[in-house]
Amino acid sequence: MTRWRPLPDVLPREARHLVEQLRALKDRTGLSLAELARRTAYSKSSWQRYLSGAKQPPRGAVQALCRMAGAEQARLLTLWDLADRTWPHGAAVAAGPAERVPDEPPAGAEYRRWRAAALVSFGVIVVLLAGLLWVLPAGRG
């Protein structure tokens, strides 16, 4: 289990409760932050900010962590909605030095993932068709 640093005092109660629940889910997965980043669309440094309470996690990050932990999303998303109303918006909560790493997945990440899958599928189809043409008789006559 991870030894977590105390959450910032300026963090509202609802936001604090959400982060505590997310920490528990992360611990339940047994994954390191690096492994969690590899399995989701969020970087290791983003997960560090979310789980330290320095930055509000996006709704998608909460959903991704719930999936990784096999937890029911509805309860955590309700907590996210409550925290969203009270989270200090506009700037990260002071919890350490500022970083310039984006906390959202890169623009177009979902499109690139879909495009890569489409290209792989297309390649498989081309190879199968080439194999089929190779084994078919060239012609009768």
Side-chain angles (χ1 to χ4, degrees):
M1 185 165 154
T2 307
R3 286 194 47 145
W4 297 103
R5 290 186 176 166
L7 293 171
D9 292 333
V10 296
L11 203 59
R13 183 178 50 118
E14 294 84 356
R16 180 178 299 275
H17 186 60
L18 173 64
V19 172
E20 289 168 350
Q21 295 300 307
L22 293 176
R23 286 176 168 187
L25 282 181
K26 189 265 180 206
D27 288 343
R28 190 164 109 184
T29 67
L31 299 174
S32 67
L33 291 176
E35 185 62 29
L36 188 60
R38 278 191 289 279
R39 295 183 184 201
T40 65
Y42 302 92
S43 69
K44 177 183 172 185
S45 58
S46 293
W47 281 114
Q48 287 172 328
R49 287 191 297 276
Y50 304 152
L51 296 172
S52 70
K55 184 115 172 106
Q56 180 182 8
R59 192 175 178 88
V62 173
Q63 292 170 318
L65 185 55
C66 286
R67 282 191 301 272
M68 292 290 113
E72 178 61 40
Q73 291 184 17
R75 185 169 93 57
L76 268 292
L77 292 177
T78 300
L79 289 176
W80 186 90
D81 289 336
L82 292 171
D84 184 51
R85 296 179 192 149
T86 63
W87 203 286
H89 291 283
V93 175
E99 297 178 30
R100 301 195 78 204
V101 179
D103 60 318
E104 296 293 325
E110 192 63 34
Y111 170 75
R112 285 192 301 274
R113 193 174 294 142
W114 177 88
R115 184 180 64 189
L119 287 173
V120 168
S121 300
F122 179 74
V124 169
I125 290 169
V126 167
V127 168
L128 289 174
L129 284 175
L132 184 61
L133 292 174
W134 183 267
V135 297
L136 286 177
R140 299 177 192 241

